[in-house]
Amino acid sequence: GIYRTEKNKGTLYELTFKGDAKHQFKKIVLFRPFGPVMKVKNENINMVDTLINVIVPLAKRASKFRQFMQNFREMGIQQDGRIHLTVVYFGKEQMDEVKSILENTSKSANFKNYTFIQLNEEFSRGKGLDVGARFWKGNNVVLFFCDVDIYFTAEFLNSCRLNTQPGKKVFYPVLFSQYNPSIIYGHHGSIPSLEQQLIIKKETGFWRDFGFGMTCQYRSDFINIGGFDLDIKGWGGEDVHLYRKYLHSNLMVIRTPVRGLFHLWHEKQCVDELTSEQYKMCMQSKAMNEASHGQLGMLVFKQEIETHLHRRKLSSKKT
């Protein structure tokens, strides 16, 4: 459930429960003014026909895409089943490998609901998402803007559906971002499997409170709001611009942490072609993603710690 306190009015609670049948849910909306609780709504919600179009902009990174498709196959195809995948690919390098991964998944999982779009231009995340959203020719659909280094669960996909409503609500989940496994698990001797790393603890990662890239909204709302600012090139900035447009619209923006959405750690490259502001944002993100403040401190002061331990060892021998 989620709750929201409205200034000078009270608190609104939205509680969602599983329904009697598969893909059905019951939602209870309560409003607590600065007084007794008032029931606002009690309704059954049927999500059996609610399709999600997952849009992934991509350039190269075939190995990461292979990992993404393993997650997509298990959670999106096998467990959920009401999903479409749109890949917007920039350039031609590694394109054949990416298409091969898509086709192999299609054959082995009997999955036909995918679209592959190729653009012969420099990578732009906003452009890729915008093209993918506008390419859809079917009925109104929930769009999930996703990156190749994201891991999601089937429960998250239902959260995506339940917290979006055309003309009324868009969903901006706060995801959990992994720290560098080499730093976190370096003293263990070996790095655990990906599934074992998906633990929400302050030592393993952080809630990305200021990340606005992964979002769910209906296509009609995205088109009506004007989509992305396509003048923004490369990495960073386009997601915040879209978020601000939604905040200034009549739509309700739902912003809350979710347990089923993870950003998997990867080495971040901040290229010289970025603007000064984008490069600064990229470097700040790079630092935040390595480890916690305390863990980074242990690395910075490693020599001092080792010197202290050495002195203690010598002192104990003398006594």
Side-chain angles (χ1 to χ4, degrees), residues 73 250 253 272:
R73 174 175 178 157
N250 293 324
V253 177
D272 291 338

Side-chain angles (χ1 to χ4, degrees), residues 66-316:
R66 189 182 305 276
Q67 178 180 275
F68 173 84
M69 286 305 296
Q70 290 174 354
N71 170 227
F72 184 88
R73 174 175 178 157
E74 180 184 353
M75 298 298 175
I77 301 174
Q78 295 175 350
Q79 293 195 30
D80 187 86
R82 297 154 292 155
I83 201 162
H84 186 98
L85 175 64
T86 300
V87 177
V88 182
Y89 198 86
F90 289 81
K92 293 185 178 178
E93 188 176 349
Q94 299 185 23
M95 183 183 73
D96 290 341
E97 187 176 352
V98 167
K99 289 182 74 173
S100 176
I101 294 168
L102 259 178
E103 290 165 0
N104 289 338
T105 302
S106 173
K107 291 176 184 176
S108 60
N110 193 25
F111 177 72
K112 307 296 183 184
N113 293 340
Y114 72 90
T115 303
F116 186 87
I117 304 168
Q118 195 261 338
L119 301 177
N120 285 318
E121 53 188 89
E122 184 181 350
F123 178 81
S124 168
R125 184 178 185 272
K127 175 70 177 290
L129 294 172
D130 204 88
V131 167
R134 296 179 189 277
F135 191 85
W136 179 260
K137 298 298 188 291
N139 296 329
N140 201 11
V141 67
V142 179
L143 304 176
F144 171 36
F145 292 156
C146 187
D147 289 341
V148 73
D149 45 27
I150 294 297
Y151 180 97
F152 59 82
T153 65
E155 288 77 14
F156 166 74
L157 294 176
N158 277 326
S159 297
C160 188
R161 293 180 177 97
L162 290 165
N163 289 301
T164 53
Q165 190 174 352
K168 294 187 177 180
K169 294 190 294 187
V170 295
F171 186 38
Y172 271 82
V174 178
L175 54 77
F176 191 77
S177 194
Q178 280 186 328
Y179 287 139
N180 187 342
S182 299
I183 296 177
I184 305 305
Y185 304 104
H187 60 287
H188 289 234
S190 62
I191 298 175
S193 66
L194 174 60
E195 288 72 21
Q196 292 174 311
Q197 293 179 38
L198 300 176
I199 301 172
I200 297 176
K201 294 167 58 178
K202 65 179 181 180
E203 295 85 8
T204 60
F206 64 99
W207 291 106
R208 189 170 283 204
D209 297 316
F210 299 103
F212 304 95
M214 302 330 120
T215 175
C216 302
Q217 68 262 282
Y218 271 86
R219 182 180 180 274
S220 57
D221 293 327
F222 177 77
I223 299 298
N224 290 337
I225 206 76
F228 284 107
D229 181 355
L230 300 183
D231 291 332
I232 299 175
K233 304 297 182 184
W235 184 95
E238 80 290 331
D239 49 0
V240 177
H241 185 266
L242 180 66
Y243 177 69
R244 286 173 177 164
K245 288 205 290 187
Y246 277 130
L247 284 179
H248 289 94
S249 73
N250 293 324
L251 296 167
M252 181 188 299
V253 177
I254 297 179
R255 177 81 169 154
T256 182
V258 292
R259 299 184 62 85
L261 192 62
F262 294 85
H263 176 265
L264 305 179
W265 183 87
H266 61 88
E267 187 172 359
K268 188 176 290 292
Q269 302 290 339
C270 299
V271 297
D272 291 338
E273 289 76 17
L274 297 174
T275 65
S276 298
E277 186 62 29
Q278 285 178 321
Y279 190 83
K280 182 180 177 181
M281 288 170 61
C282 186
M283 290 301 293
Q284 288 173 339
S285 179
K286 182 181 176 74
M288 287 177 60
N289 279 269
E290 286 299 304
S292 68
H293 191 101
Q295 289 162 330
L296 289 175
M298 293 294 285
L299 292 176
V300 171
F301 300 115
K302 182 179 179 180
Q303 186 62 50
E304 293 181 37
I305 294 170
E306 290 178 350
T307 301
H308 169 76
L309 293 175
H310 181 67
R311 288 173 181 167
R312 294 290 296 175
K313 190 174 181 180
L314 290 176
S315 177
S316 62

